[in-house]
Amino acid sequence: MKLNCVVVDDSSIQRMIIAKLVNNHPNLHLVGDFSNAIEAKSCMSIYNVDLIFLDIEMPVISGFDFLDGLKTKPQIIFVTSKAEYAMKAFDYDATDYLQKPIAIERFNASVKRAIDQYLYKNDSKDDEGEHIFIKSNLKKLKIFTSKIKWIEAFGDYVRVVTEEDSHLVLSTMKSFEADLPGNRFVRVHKSYIINIDKVERFNSKFAEIGPTKIPLSRNKKDDLIKALNVD
């Protein structure tokens, strides 16, 4: 297991030192190191990042301002030469606070804390049941199958509609269907796979999931009836 990391520090020497520590750690993967918050934010719009090693005093956009502009915040380990920022750092729910120069033992202790938090958070999510990973917008996303409402063909993609959102995935319907638990999902049309737990009503032409009517192929209605275990 490796946490995806970025390093953000306007000092090229400090970035090099932290990047080396990250690269030498068996549980960390360096996605990139950046001299400013703008470049880091651009990277994080493309790649999943689990942990940021973040300097506080940077020109134009400080470390705190950078965090204020993030919609979703990864774990943060602040790295700074000034102890007076420590209290404010923990107002940002920081995983840890490292003072420069960084001792390797102290760095490893911070990383262990980040890994423990990551494992605790993801273990608690497993209570939601089976899940699959999908690749959408260059990111790998963990999707709980219990939250999928339906999947529909969308050109060279499939659209995965969940309770919270929808995602486009480069895949065929046949390939995507093979990754789903067969006892909960049914192909009811050449362009649709539905979660039978989400079906509220159906007739000879449609299965209704909320306000959405999913078309039923003539030869697929019996498969739906059998899956729903109704007469």
Side-chain angles (χ1 to χ4, degrees):
M1 187 273 294
K2 290 194 175 188
L3 301 184
N4 287 335
C5 307
V6 295
V7 177
V8 190
D9 195 314
D10 62 314
S11 166
S12 58
I13 294 174
Q14 289 299 327
R15 283 201 316 278
M16 182 179 67
I17 291 170
I18 301 168
K20 185 176 180 180
L21 289 169
V22 170
N23 284 325
N24 287 339
H25 197 288
N27 297 114
L28 300 180
H29 168 67
L30 183 65
V31 175
D33 61 274
F34 306 97
S35 62
N36 61 75
I38 296 172
E39 292 177 352
K41 191 172 182 179
S42 177
C43 169
M44 290 170 62
S45 70
I46 299 173
Y47 298 100
N48 276 337
V49 173
D50 303 304
L51 177 62
I52 306 175
F53 291 92
L54 181 62
D55 187 20
I56 294 175
E57 289 189 326
M58 295 186 293
V60 185
I61 301 176
S62 72
F64 294 131
D65 291 337
F66 168 56
L67 293 180
D68 288 338
L70 294 180
K71 291 182 179 179
T72 303
K73 294 178 178 61
Q75 289 194 68
I76 308 297
I77 294 178
F78 285 106
V79 184
T80 182
S81 58
K82 296 186 178 179
E84 59 262 33
Y85 289 119
M87 291 302 295
K88 186 175 180 181
F90 286 101
D91 287 340
Y92 282 80
D93 198 25
T95 299
D96 208 347
Y97 184 95
L98 295 176
Q99 273 194 264
K100 304 172 184 177
I102 303 168
I104 189 167
E105 295 83 3
R106 186 70 182 84
F107 176 85
N108 288 338
S110 288
V111 172
K112 184 180 184 305
R113 182 175 295 179
I115 291 169
D116 288 345
Q117 288 194 25
Y118 177 88
L119 292 174
Y120 175 79
K121 182 179 178 182
N122 285 275
D123 283 347
S124 65
K125 284 185 176 179
D126 286 342
D127 292 340
E128 297 181 57
E130 285 187 88
H131 60 269
I132 59 174
F133 285 94
I134 64 172
K135 189 174 183 180
S136 180
N137 292 327
L138 300 179
K139 296 182 179 181
K140 279 196 171 183
L141 304 175
K142 184 179 183 179
I143 303 292
F144 290 97
T145 56
S146 62
K147 296 195 173 186
I148 296 174
K149 298 201 292 188
W150 72 83
I151 300 97
E152 65 181 279
F154 205 85
D156 292 332
Y157 295 78
V158 298
R159 188 164 75 104
V160 183
V161 180
T162 71
E163 293 172 359
E164 295 91 8
D165 211 340
S166 66
H167 309 277
L168 283 179
V169 181
L170 184 60
S171 176
T172 64
M173 291 288 280
K174 184 177 180 180
S175 175
F176 198 91
E177 185 178 13
D179 291 332
L180 296 169
N183 61 331
R184 306 316 311 157
F185 290 84
V186 177
R187 183 85 172 263
V188 295
H189 186 277
K190 66 178 181 179
S191 299
Y192 288 90
I193 301 167
I194 63 174
N195 184 342
I196 62 173
D197 292 331
K198 306 299 182 184
V199 175
E200 298 172 12
R201 292 173 295 276
F202 73 96
N203 56 30
S204 60
K205 294 183 178 179
F206 299 101
E208 296 184 30
I209 299 177
T212 304
K213 292 184 176 181
I214 307 292
L216 296 180
S217 295
R218 187 177 303 173
N219 62 340
K220 293 292 186 180
K221 182 185 174 185
D222 288 344
D223 291 343
L224 178 59
I225 291 172
K226 183 177 178 181
L228 291 170
N229 195 25
V230 295
D231 296 328

